[in-house]
Amino acid sequence: GIPKNDSAFIGRALGLAETVGLHLQQGNQDPVMLALSQALLPALAMPESAHRMFLDQLHLAILSHLLQRYGTVEARPMLQRLLSARQEAMAKDFIRAHHNQDFSLAELAAVCGLSRSYFIRAFRQTVGVTPYRWLMEYKIGRAKELLLGDQTIAEIAAELGFADQSHMGRSFVRAVGLPPSLWRKLYKN
């Protein structure tokens, strides 16, 4: 197994008081770790377009999976964690105000006075999506508004904090199903 101090690090990163240990079996395939690793590949290929909040969320997902799948601590029922209406408004206001900047989950959680592990769970349970997903939905909504104007797609991408026009295009297609140029042709008067 993994030494106790390494598993304690994982437990602390997830906001847990103590972790007994992790036990891995060599040769076993782990489809969840494979999927999480594959989600990381685009960020490794193009680090300039990887938002810190996305990387933070992926980091917590990996740690959480390792602890849940390979940890020897007893599983406790997840308590429902919700943000107060004020905390939710503060988090969304921060995201809107900084949507074109690279910020971390820790910075966002600090706005609400919470640890990042508690915050991400509470945000997801309150809002229904992760903070990074909410950020991307906000950016795509703003992109739609701006596409109705006269700015070029490259200017819109820069204004919204995408790495470049191509990055915005990929994100837009994933969310909307159409490239920004086609969406603009269909919906601009």
Side-chain angles (χ1 to χ4, degrees), residues 6 42 64 73 101 117 142:
D6 291 344
S64 180
V73 293
Q101 300 168 17
S117 58
R142 286 286 300 134

Side-chain angles (χ1 to χ4, degrees), residues 25-100:
Q25 295 178 350
Q26 288 186 318
N28 286 352
Q29 291 188 5
D30 186 337
V32 173
M33 277 306 297
L34 177 62
L36 291 170
S37 300
Q38 288 174 334
L40 183 60
L41 291 177
L44 294 174
M46 295 181 8
E48 67 281 353
S49 67
H51 197 284
R52 280 192 303 167
M53 193 165 49
F54 168 76
L55 295 173
D56 286 348
Q57 286 180 200
L58 193 56
H59 175 242
L60 287 175
I62 290 170
L63 292 178
S64 180
H65 172 70
L66 289 173
L67 186 61
Q68 290 174 3
R69 174 77 169 86
Y70 303 106
T72 57
V73 293
E74 240 181 76
R76 296 183 191 139
M78 262 309 236
L79 298 176
Q80 188 170 21
R81 297 177 176 181
L82 298 174
L83 297 177
S84 68
R86 182 174 172 268
Q87 289 171 320
E88 179 183 355
M90 289 170 31
K92 288 178 176 178
D93 287 346
F94 181 89
I95 292 171
R96 282 189 285 266
H98 297 88
H99 72 273
N100 58 354

Side-chain angles (χ1 to χ4, degrees), residues 105-144:
L105 269 176
E107 292 169 304
L108 183 56
V111 168
C112 297
L114 301 170
S115 72
R116 76 178 182 157
S117 58
Y118 183 94
F119 172 79
I120 191 171
R121 286 187 184 96
F123 189 96
R124 185 175 196 159
Q125 288 181 346
T126 303
V127 179
V129 295
T130 64
Y132 181 73
R133 176 65 53 210
W134 197 89
L135 167 68
M136 293 308 295
E137 289 173 2
Y138 175 77
K139 286 174 129 178
I140 296 303
R142 286 286 300 134
K144 287 178 178 179

Side-chain angles (χ1 to χ4, degrees), residues 139-157:
K139 286 174 129 178
I140 296 303
R142 286 286 300 134
K144 287 178 178 179
E145 292 171 10
L146 295 171
L147 284 166
L148 297 175
D150 294 326
Q151 287 180 288
T152 67
I153 294 173
E155 290 169 337
I156 294 169

Side-chain angles (χ1 to χ4, degrees), residues 172-186:
F172 198 92
V173 168
R174 268 194 303 274
V176 178
L178 299 170
S181 56
L182 181 55
W183 190 93
R184 173 179 259 173
K185 284 179 186 175
L186 291 173

